[in-house]
Amino acid sequence: PALDLNWSDAKDWKETSRYDDRMESDARLLYNAVTHEPDGVMRWIRQFDKARHYFLEAIALTHAASEKKLLQQKIMQCCS
């Protein structure tokens, strides 16, 4: 639930958004959504990226084509 709220506060930010005129309260809301412990968006992104890395490493270490295909399908399900 807290991550959902933080995500809804952060999801619309774009790189070009930093040039938009914003109120200080908007900036604080975004900062808190990204950095909040333990439910900040950045923490979730890092955990997701770490899991994706382990999946990709497992594929690289797997030699059987059928196992590789199965792992690739799992990655696509996880990361889509």
Side-chain angles (χ1 to χ4, degrees), residues 23-48:
M23 304 220 15
E24 182 179 344
S25 59
D26 293 334
R28 289 184 187 278
L29 187 68
L30 176 61
Y31 179 81
N32 289 332
V34 172
T35 62
H36 182 269
E37 286 293 334
D39 299 310
V41 173
M42 186 57 70
R43 180 178 175 150
W44 180 85
I45 289 171
R46 286 184 180 140
Q47 288 174 340
F48 177 82

Side-chain angles (χ1 to χ4, degrees), residues 4 6 12-13 16 18-19 21 26 28 47 52 54 56-60 69-70 75 80:
D4 291 341
N6 287 332
D12 294 328
W13 185 86
T16 57
R18 63 182 163 180
Y19 301 110
D21 286 331
D26 293 334
R28 289 184 187 278
Q47 288 174 340
R52 184 182 59 85
Y54 287 133
L56 293 175
E57 190 174 284
I59 285 176
K69 186 168 183 152
L70 178 62
I75 287 175
S80 297

